[in-house]
Amino acid sequence: MLRWLGLRIAGGVFVLWAVATLIFFALRLIPGDPAQAILGGPGSQASPEALAQVRLDYGLDQPLAAQYFGALGRLLRGDLGTSYALKTDVGALILDQFWGTLVLTLAALAAAWIFALGLALWTTRGGWLSDRVGSGMEIMAAAVPHFWLASVFIIVFSSWLGWLPAISVPGPIGLVLPVLTLAIPLAGFLGQVMRESLADALESPFALSARARGESETGVRWYHGIRHAALPGISLSGWAFGALLSGAVVVETVFARPGLGRTLLNAVTIRDIPVVTGVALVSALAFILVTVVTDLVDRIADPRLGTS
């Protein structure tokens, strides 16, 4: 276990370095002058003297290699820098926006699990017709783009019915449409693997043995089948969390919800390099931690993995 954990930590450090390196060079390939972005963009009409002073203050006059290693050194010290546009500490800004995105993604992940398990139980119980209908629903849900689904929800539940707000508001009611927008496509992916795993579990020798001992069909499903159906879902939860973080960019923008996704989009638009780097690193770190926790839960649920 210690060896496995050590390899995970080493892999996580490598991923963080790769993300920081990729973002550093990618942002510098975008046309435009970072010094102008710091001073408010091309429309600020900054003087050459002001641009030169900003380049000197932020180290932008140094060679690219010196800028790169300087940025890595600051990241190793936990210094994410100062936002070019907002002139605030990037770490504090990200911490303020992080919790909204975390609540959104965790709520969407929980809802996707509920939808996927419910659909798997229904399709494996109702025979051939329900299996085909459930399979079609899973494929349709998995293929729906987030921006299209969000637009449909706003039109139906906000404009026509007036049940839910079109933009995010404080409280649970403001989470309903954003959570459903993220959860439904993910439930389509999870439902496919859970349904197949549950169907295999219900036909396995241990299920037949449980029925032979007199256990009811409901008991076989809930006490034996669900555990095996959940295993592939647990394995995919780490990937699912990453997919939800990327989907949060669209959802938070459409529903005007504060969070990391909306912050990242705004920062990319105005070329706020410290904010883009900070959000990407925090998202990568959260994804790594969730993946490690998912693997641990997977090993607890399926002890056979502990020997691999």
Side-chain angles (χ1 to χ4, degrees):
M1 180 62 72
L2 289 177
R3 179 177 177 273
W4 174 83
L5 188 59
L7 290 174
R8 283 290 184 176
I9 293 174
V13 172
F14 174 79
V15 169
L16 291 176
W17 167 79
V19 169
T21 300
L22 180 63
I23 291 174
F24 178 86
F25 289 105
L27 288 175
R28 278 153 181 82
L29 292 175
I30 299 175
D33 187 355
Q36 282 191 338
I38 296 173
L39 292 174
S44 63
Q45 298 181 345
S47 65
E49 293 78 12
L51 290 173
Q53 185 61 46
V54 166
R55 294 189 185 100
L56 180 64
D57 293 341
Y58 285 84
L60 298 174
D61 58 334
Q62 300 177 2
L64 190 61
Q67 295 182 43
Y68 170 68
F69 287 109
L72 285 184
R74 289 190 295 271
L75 291 176
L76 288 174
R77 296 193 301 269
D79 181 11
L80 296 177
T82 302
S83 168
Y84 291 168
L86 302 176
K87 311 302 180 185
T88 59
D89 180 66
V90 173
L93 174 65
I94 291 176
L95 185 62
D96 183 55
Q97 301 294 323
F98 176 74
W99 301 111
T101 300
L102 183 63
V103 169
L104 175 63
T105 53
L106 291 180
L109 184 60
W113 261 82
I114 294 172
F115 295 156
L117 278 176
L119 192 59
L121 287 170
W122 176 69
T123 54
T124 55
R125 189 182 183 90
W128 178 87
L129 180 59
S130 63
D131 181 72
R132 293 295 182 271
V133 172
S135 178
M137 292 172 61
E138 291 163 356
I139 294 173
M140 289 178 60
V144 172
H146 288 121
F147 69 88
W148 183 86
L149 188 59
S151 302
V152 171
F153 281 159
I154 290 174
I155 292 172
V156 174
F157 294 104
S158 299
S159 301
W160 291 356
L161 300 176
W163 291 351
L164 297 168
I167 61 174
S168 182
V169 296
I173 193 172
L175 272 173
V176 175
L177 291 184
V179 166
L180 289 178
T181 302
L182 282 176
I184 289 177
L186 178 59
F189 286 104
L190 294 178
Q192 293 178 46
V193 296
M194 287 185 183
R195 176 170 53 84
E196 294 178 2
S197 181
L198 179 58
D200 293 339
L202 294 177
E203 299 297 328
S204 62
F206 67 82
L208 298 176
S209 180
R211 294 187 185 97
R213 293 194 304 268
E215 192 162 350
S216 65
E217 187 64 28
T218 301
V220 171
R221 287 176 176 274
W222 284 99
Y223 295 110
H224 300 284
I226 286 294
R227 177 179 176 180
H228 289 267
L231 291 178
I234 294 174
S235 301
L236 286 173
S237 291
W239 162 84
F241 185 80
L244 291 174
L245 284 177
S246 63
V249 176
V250 176
V251 171
E252 289 175 355
T253 302
V254 173
F255 291 102
R257 177 179 175 82
L260 287 183
R262 193 177 177 195
T263 301
L264 177 61
L265 182 62
N266 292 337
V268 171
T269 303
I270 62 177
R271 200 183 168 90
D272 198 336
I273 295 175
V275 175
V276 174
T277 304
V279 171
L281 287 175
V282 169
S283 300
L285 180 60
F287 175 73
I288 291 168
L289 293 176
V290 169
T291 302
V292 172
V293 172
T294 298
D295 287 347
L296 285 174
V297 174
D298 208 4
R299 286 168 175 256
I300 293 172
D302 189 357
R304 295 172 298 177
L305 297 177
T307 60
S308 60

